[in-house]
Amino acid sequence: YLQLPADLTKMHLTDNPHPQVTHVPSSQSGCSIASDSGSSSLSDIYQATESEMGDVDLTGLPEAPVDSEDEEEEEDEDIDRTSDPLLGRDVVRECLEKEPADKTDDDIEQLLEFMHQLPAFANMTMSVRRELCSVMIFEVVEQAGAIILEDGQELDSWYVILNGTVEISYPDGKSESLCMGNSFGITPSLDKQYMNGVVRTKVDDCQFVCIAQQDYWRILNHVEKNTHKVEEEGEIVMVKEHRELDRSGTRKGHIVIKATPERLIMHLIEEHSIVDPTYIEDFLLTYRTFLSSPLEVGNRLLEWFTVDSLRDKVTRVVLLWVNNHFNDFEGDPAMTRFLEEFEKNLEDTKMKGHLRLLNIACAAKAKWRQITLQKPSRDSPLFFSLLGGSDKGFGIFVETVEIGSKAAEAGLKRGDQV
């Protein structure tokens, strides 16, 4: 039986790559936490039970190892170091100051992490940003008022401001200020280009990255070679980008960067490349931005479950969904019914190992809650039924709840343990 939880905290998405989650008392109303922290452990359980290695003791879930105080102190120090923005910028500067030929894969990853936040790189694909990071040169102008480019000067580079502010004074008397993340200089062309206006620094310690015209043109004009477009009935429905995760060429493949909602749902059960192993987790985290209801995904999964060759893939998607985003089910009666129907399908197809995994995932997310039901008289019906007890050898569970009843409105659900 599903043991559905009550109040959990709602995670607010922020710019912080590791958002902090604040727990609230169970008496407060809220939604359950959206977290990907359990996906790895669920995958481990999934692999272990795929082979049906006998019965599993479900009396309790495995406990996580407890770190020693020394390890905790070391972790705290690591967190302090990584959370220090000045230290983070020092690391980036060390990577920038290296010659392009001396940059390692780790250096480029550091630069990618920093550069993707800048507006100048916002509309570029990952492979383009990676290529630009590998060839960029770091420059510093110490004094305010220094002229970087004269009016009419031939351009040979594309500039992105990393620190400070510059001003462009145009011949017609107008001026423009550019700050961190803005760019100026050439466009991606091999034609001769000349500066329109004078570029000078407005503050001390202005920092830039520069990319030579030849490299800038080559990288931006060869992006088409790295993309694969999927067409249906004359319309592009999906765009994939070829990526290499390291310079050895052993980890390369295509990753989905654009698609219609329908194609994104279909890709859940398609083969994922070595460079896109977390597509399902990414989809479940972001589908709310392009789908109006999770049932659009749920109904398709139920359809695909009837196909023998897709059954295991569908089950993996649902298990990750339950484990990582249980609030999608706990807070939506329609999705709760979807989960009950999916459970019944697992029972009918005798997929006992997967059914155990579903029970474990639901139990792991369950929380205590209190529900108060008021009856007008002692003889009034309860609108729900119970199962279990000491004579059955297990706890007392809610077996059924009448849809639309006072019990359902109060939040009582099938699978709740009393």
Side-chain angles (χ1 to χ4, degrees):
Y1 294 94
L2 304 182
Q3 187 175 0
L4 307 182
D7 301 329
L8 298 173
T9 58
K10 183 180 178 71
M11 183 180 78
H12 300 278
L13 298 179
T14 66
D15 293 333
N16 189 330
H18 304 289
Q20 299 296 318
V21 180
T22 305
H23 293 276
V24 297
S26 59
S27 60
Q28 298 181 15
S29 175
C31 298
S32 58
I33 180 174
S35 167
D36 63 355
S37 60
S39 58
S40 60
S41 60
L42 179 60
S43 300
D44 295 340
I45 301 173
Y46 181 84
Q47 294 169 2
T49 55
E50 265 187 319
S51 58
E52 292 290 329
M53 297 176 63
D55 294 333
V56 178
D57 182 9
L58 299 180
T59 55
L61 294 174
E63 297 180 0
V66 179
D67 295 332
S68 69
E69 293 182 2
D70 292 340
E71 289 174 340
E72 289 176 356
E73 290 175 0
E74 290 175 3
E75 289 177 0
D76 290 341
E77 290 176 2
D78 291 340
I79 292 172
D80 291 339
R81 285 195 293 270
T82 56
S83 61
D84 185 349
L86 296 177
L87 183 60
R89 290 191 66 124
D90 286 344
V91 173
V92 172
R93 180 157 181 163
E94 287 178 10
C95 299
L96 286 169
E97 289 175 343
K98 292 182 179 180
E99 292 295 323
D102 297 332
K103 289 187 174 78
T104 65
D105 288 338
D106 289 339
D107 294 333
I108 293 175
E109 289 300 322
Q110 289 281 357
L111 295 177
L112 272 174
E113 183 70 24
F114 180 76
M115 297 301 169
H116 91 278
Q117 307 171 54
L118 305 181
F121 297 93
N123 295 321
M124 298 176 178
T125 63
M126 181 69 75
S127 61
V128 169
R129 285 201 297 264
R130 186 183 296 275
E131 290 278 345
L132 293 176
C133 288
S134 67
V135 299
M136 58 179 47
I137 303 295
F138 184 58
E139 290 187 7
V140 179
V141 179
E142 298 287 353
Q143 300 295 325
I147 294 177
I148 301 173
L149 295 171
E150 297 275 7
D151 184 42
Q153 179 179 338
E154 183 176 347
L155 298 172
D156 61 1
S157 297
W158 182 61
Y159 299 84
V160 179
I161 305 169
L162 299 187
N163 187 62
T165 308
V166 302
E167 182 180 58
I168 303 178
S169 301
Y170 296 103
D172 60 3
K174 294 182 180 179
S175 63
E176 178 185 11
S177 291
L178 302 179
C179 57
M180 177 181 175
N182 296 141
S183 62
F184 60 93
I186 58 163
T187 57
S189 167
L190 290 180
D191 298 334
K192 284 192 175 183
Q193 300 175 46
Y194 300 91
M195 184 64 207
N196 178 32
V198 178
V199 183
R200 59 168 52 87
T201 59
K202 292 185 69 175
V203 296
D204 293 341
D205 191 29
C206 287
Q207 302 173 11
F208 311 88
V209 287
C210 311
I211 295 164
Q213 182 177 17
Q214 185 77 27
D215 291 329
Y216 190 54
W217 174 85
R218 172 181 56 82
I219 293 170
L220 266 69
N221 283 273
H222 285 65
V223 65
E224 287 295 323
K225 292 184 178 180
N226 291 326
T227 58
H228 170 66
K229 297 176 181 178
V230 180
E231 294 189 15
E232 292 180 0
E233 299 180 357
E235 291 187 2
I236 298 174
V237 295
M238 178 178 283
V239 179
K240 298 181 179 180
E241 178 193 350
H242 180 77
R243 291 186 186 174
E244 294 187 11
L245 297 187
D246 53 42
R247 294 179 178 178
S248 66
T250 56
R251 299 178 63 196
K252 60 184 179 180
H254 283 86
I255 184 171
V256 175
I257 58 172
K258 291 181 184 178
T260 61
E262 176 67 17
R263 283 295 300 170
L264 290 173
I265 295 174
M266 289 183 62
H267 196 57
L268 288 170
I269 56 169
E270 295 173 346
E271 293 298 326
H272 305 132
S273 72
I274 190 173
V275 296
D276 196 13
T278 60
Y279 175 81
I280 297 175
E281 290 91 331
D282 297 340
F283 177 91
L284 295 174
L285 183 66
T286 59
Y287 77 85
R288 299 158 188 81
T289 63
F290 54 86
L291 294 179
S292 58
S293 169
L295 273 179
E296 295 182 50
V297 184
N299 290 335
R300 293 301 301 273
L301 292 174
L302 290 175
E303 290 176 19
W304 289 327
F305 190 86
T306 60
V307 182
D308 291 346
S309 60
L310 301 179
R311 198 163 289 158
D312 282 342
K313 293 179 180 179
V314 170
T315 303
R316 181 172 184 268
V317 173
V318 176
L319 288 172
L320 285 170
W321 198 353
V322 171
N323 192 67
N324 294 356
H325 308 284
F326 195 72
N327 56 307
D328 290 356
F329 306 92
E330 190 269 341
D332 187 341
M335 289 302 293
T336 301
R337 290 193 292 273
F338 156 78
L339 202 56
E340 292 175 354
E341 185 174 351
F342 182 75
E343 179 197 27
K344 185 176 183 300
N345 289 345
L346 290 178
E347 291 175 349
D348 294 342
T349 53
K350 302 189 184 319
M351 298 176 68
K352 296 180 180 179
H354 299 86
L355 183 59
R356 286 200 296 270
L357 282 177
L358 183 63
N359 289 332
I360 290 172
C362 291
K365 301 298 179 181
K367 297 287 183 179
W368 287 101
R369 71 188 193 275
Q370 180 174 309
I371 291 177
T372 303
L373 290 174
Q374 293 184 336
K375 295 172 56 182
S377 67
R378 188 176 291 272
D379 297 330
S380 300
L382 288 171
F383 301 111
F384 67 90
S385 61
L386 299 174
L387 179 71
S390 57
D391 56 327
K392 299 287 186 180
F394 55 87
I396 300 174
F397 293 85
V398 176
E399 184 180 20
T400 59
V401 180
E402 186 175 319
I403 298 175
S405 65
K406 293 290 185 181
E409 291 177 2
L412 201 64
K413 296 186 175 80
R414 174 181 177 267
D416 284 342
Q417 182 174 5
V418 180

